[in-house]
Amino acid sequence: MKFIDLLGRFVFNFLLATGRFGLFTAQTIRYMFTPPFYYKQLLTQLIEIGFYSLPVVALTTLFAGMVIALQTYTGFSQFSSEGPVSLVVLISVTRELAPVMAGLMVAGRIGASMAAELGTMRVTEQIDALSTLSTNPIKYLIVPRVLAGILMLPVLVLIGDIIGICGGYLIGIYKLEFNATTYLVNTWTYLKTMDIVSGLTKAAVFGFIITILGCYNGYNSKGGAQGVGAATTNAVVSASILILIFNYILTELFFNA
Amino acid sequence: MLFSKKILSKTPKIRLSNLYKSFGRKHVLQGVNLDIYPGESLVIIGGSGTGKSVTLKCILGLMEPDAGEIEIDGQKVTHLSEKAREKVNAKMGMLFQGAALFDSLTVWENVAFGPMQTQRITKKDAKKLAIEKLALVGLTKDVADIYPASLSGGMKKRVGLARAIAGNPDIIFFDEPTTGLDPIMSDVINDLIITTTKKLGATALTITHDMTSARKIADRIAMLYNGKIIWIGSVKELDKTKDPYVRQFVAGSANGPILTQAKVEK
């Protein structure tokens, strides 16, 4: 009996949490299209997510591009040349590595800080204070953050694409001693719009996942410092897992459907 | 008694009727009935965990009661649409226990936050308004441009009070206004509460367990125990009452009918 009781409670709590998250998401999306809009808040978030995440995203995609060039060379050693290396670098960076790397790095950076900031605001009653000052907290706090995530992640990934391909190029030219012109021409001919577009679409989805989870966990945190800590962990872990799952699903949709 | 007779004729500013609220198996409010009349200062006293904060949050619309009605100026305010709720909230100001200042904004932006959201005023006018309100709570314009993090507890409360009165509210709520302050600063805040509400002609509802503060700012005192208002009367009546619960709370005694054992949640 105790087992059934526990199972029932688990299922009930799971459904409750899913429902709450669904409502929160639906409300956020609805408020994106209803005034008032807080442009100043949006601008702050755009800078916070876009500009300040640039160094981390640039570094991770650079090294990702470099290591792919190196591994492809070893893997294709029998017929290694400019062709396969530049193609593999191009495809893996634009389709998978840049979006996933940028997504995971931003989840760690932005997801965590949003959860901690909103969590602290919840615990110190600042979110309640917004309501008493006739300001809808979801419109004022959540919508700008989520919008900024959806808009800035593709920009970051586009920059990551360029830097990652440059990383591959650097290894190809200076370590593997390929011909620079051939490598660049190859890269240019293999480049397909779909590779870039799929990567950027993924980025927008990841941006949404990161910010909505960071906001949801922070907004609903309870119980002081410990609650804020738990919210931060949940935000980063759940966003990272969902990024990898959705990355697979989107790849399937784009290239296998 | 004279006082209560005089005000009975008016419609109450805030009326709580049969308010119920539970969290799981914990029944916090179990039928709260309370009328607060225009211009009076009512203080709700009660121990920790008796539902004072929950009552306040229900009136402010931060929580919906499970059952019962809340009326403000005769208008029902439970289950309102967001727009209507925002309109009702524009009539209210609230001083939070920890002041709840927005730490990403400067002091003056905090104070002028409400007016900047609801009215179309320029930044310059907003700052002027903020400095005026800061003067009312005894702060100079030197603090206007600093961030709340560098203020002391007493200063934060003052800024919080300035923010609460910035929109010229009809009703002001005070959540434990003296908690965490030294006795002298507590008295300063009590004085400010009295002068600012008088100046606005506002109705004040305070929740506290600080009896010194309650005696000073209250016209009437209501005691909340076990989710119900068990006693209500003026400060004078408070000293004469034979109600054992009120007497124990006022005396601050561990012996009496009020259970002192902390209730363990199951």
Side-chain angles (χ1 to χ4, degrees):
Chain A
M1 273 319 271
K2 203 159 191 197
F3 172 74
I4 295 172
D5 183 47
L6 270 175
L7 186 76
R9 203 169 292 173
F10 173 78
V11 172
F12 179 74
N13 283 336
F14 177 76
L15 288 178
L16 197 71
T18 318
R20 271 199 197 128
F21 179 68
L23 274 179
F24 182 82
T25 312
Q27 222 168 15
T28 306
I29 293 173
R30 189 159 66 85
Y31 286 152
M32 280 178 188
F33 305 101
T34 45
F37 305 109
Y38 296 99
Y39 299 105
K40 209 183 140 197
Q41 303 298 315
L42 178 64
L43 187 71
T44 318
Q45 293 304 324
L46 286 174
I47 294 170
E48 182 61 39
I49 298 177
F51 186 71
Y52 290 110
S53 300
L54 256 182
V56 223
V57 171
L59 269 177
T60 44
T61 46
L62 176 73
F63 281 100
M66 283 163 66
V67 84
I68 283 295
L70 209 55
Q71 286 289 20
T72 317
Y73 181 72
T74 347
F76 286 81
S77 56
Q78 292 121 317
F79 26 66
S80 77
S81 68
E82 292 85 347
V85 173
S86 64
L87 175 65
V88 172
V89 167
L90 181 74
I91 286 187
S92 47
V93 167
T94 53
R95 287 187 185 180
E96 306 291 338
L97 284 174
V100 171
M101 286 287 178
L104 292 178
M105 294 320 284
V106 175
R109 223 185 80 82
I110 299 297
S113 88
M114 278 181 184
E117 190 183 354
L118 294 176
T120 310
M121 288 186 79
R122 166 63 72 198
V123 177
T124 57
E125 299 186 300
Q126 289 180 52
I127 293 180
D128 289 343
L130 275 176
S131 301
T132 66
L133 294 165
S134 299
T135 304
N136 184 318
I138 294 189
K139 278 184 192 167
Y140 184 79
L141 295 171
I142 314 295
V143 168
R145 284 173 167 76
V146 175
L147 265 184
I150 298 173
L151 293 174
M152 279 332 270
L153 252 271
V155 177
L156 283 171
V157 167
L158 190 64
I159 297 169
D161 282 348
I162 297 165
I163 294 174
I165 290 168
C166 286
Y169 170 84
L170 289 177
I171 292 299
I173 307 309
Y174 295 103
K175 183 152 167 74
L176 312 175
E177 297 175 340
F178 291 152
N179 180 295
T181 324
T182 328
Y183 190 97
L184 281 180
V185 169
N186 272 330
T187 303
W188 190 247
T189 24
Y190 291 135
L191 184 68
K192 281 199 204 110
T193 323
M194 194 53 186
D195 296 335
I196 305 286
V197 168
S198 72
L200 297 189
T201 313
K202 281 180 177 180
V205 173
F206 297 167
F208 179 74
I209 291 175
I210 294 164
T211 46
I212 197 85
L213 283 168
C215 290
Y216 176 74
N217 282 294
Y219 194 79
N220 292 301
S221 63
K222 282 189 192 99
Q226 206 185 6
V228 177
T232 312
T233 314
N234 282 342
V236 177
V237 173
S238 55
S240 304
I241 294 172
L242 277 183
I243 284 175
L244 293 171
I245 294 175
F246 271 86
N247 182 52
Y248 178 79
I249 295 173
L250 288 170
T251 302
E252 191 81 38
L253 283 177
F254 272 115
F255 301 103
N256 260 351
Chain B
M1 279 320 267
L2 228 166
F3 180 76
S4 356
K5 260 180 200 160
K6 195 172 71 192
I7 54 181
L8 271 176
S9 51
K10 297 184 206 166
T11 42
K13 193 82 189 164
I14 305 171
R15 165 168 277 175
L16 310 180
S17 33
N18 248 340
L19 225 51
Y20 282 85
K21 179 80 187 175
S22 304
F23 297 97
R25 290 173 196 168
K26 212 168 131 198
H27 306 295
V28 182
L29 303 184
Q30 303 179 50
V32 174
N33 288 297
L34 186 64
D35 285 349
I36 303 162
Y37 293 95
E40 79 167 325
S41 168
L42 187 116
V43 174
I44 300 179
I45 57 171
S48 318
T50 48
K52 298 191 304 279
S53 299
V54 174
T55 309
L56 203 58
K57 283 188 174 168
C58 284
I59 303 174
L60 281 162
L62 300 172
M63 274 180 195
E64 286 284 347
D66 298 335
E69 272 302 338
I70 301 170
E71 285 171 33
I72 292 175
D73 288 326
Q75 182 203 354
K76 285 183 185 175
V77 295
T78 38
H79 311 289
L80 279 184
S81 71
E82 286 159 39
K83 275 240 173 81
R85 184 75 237 181
E86 274 174 29
K87 247 182 211 155
V88 172
N89 277 4
K91 287 193 230 172
M92 305 182 187
M94 162 93 180
L95 173 59
F96 286 87
Q97 191 175 347
L101 301 174
F102 307 124
D103 31 38
S104 57
L105 303 175
T106 60
V107 165
W108 82 261
E109 285 169 324
N110 263 287
V111 175
F113 193 91
M116 284 207 301
Q117 297 301 325
T118 49
Q119 306 152 22
R120 289 173 173 268
I121 55 172
T122 62
K123 219 175 156 181
K124 212 176 146 192
D125 287 341
K127 191 166 182 179
K128 219 173 97 187
L129 177 91
I131 289 171
E132 265 169 40
K133 298 294 172 186
L134 283 170
L136 284 180
V137 297
L139 292 173
T140 57
K141 63 175 177 194
D142 305 334
V143 297
D145 287 305
I146 59 178
Y147 285 90
S150 46
L151 297 176
S152 70
M155 298 249 270
K156 276 185 192 161
K157 282 266 158 95
R158 288 189 196 215
V159 176
L161 181 58
R163 185 176 70 182
I165 60 171
N168 298 325
D170 285 350
I171 310 167
I172 314 180
F173 299 95
F174 300 97
D175 183 2
E176 314 252 347
T178 54
T179 301
L181 300 179
D182 66 67
I184 297 169
M185 188 51 82
S186 297
D187 201 48
V188 172
I189 295 291
N190 287 335
D191 281 335
L192 282 173
I193 288 176
I194 296 169
T195 51
T196 46
T197 41
K198 283 271 148 63
K199 201 166 270 176
L200 285 171
T203 310
L205 175 62
T206 309
I207 58 176
T208 189
H209 48 236
D210 174 358
M211 282 313 299
T212 324
S213 171
R215 279 170 195 282
K216 184 149 187 185
I217 58 183
D219 293 328
R220 285 197 302 158
I221 293 180
M223 173 141 171
L224 194 60
Y225 180 68
N226 259 350
K228 277 182 185 149
I229 300 285
I230 57 159
W231 187 88
I232 185 159
S234 68
V235 179
K236 268 187 195 159
E237 288 166 337
L238 183 79
D239 293 322
K240 288 182 203 147
T241 181
K242 295 217 167 66
D243 188 299
Y245 292 93
V246 179
R247 288 182 67 131
Q248 186 193 349
F249 191 84
V250 172
S253 161
N255 303 314
I258 299 176
L259 293 173
T260 43
Q261 257 175 324
K263 273 181 251 165
V264 181
E265 268 182 68
K266 275 179 194 168

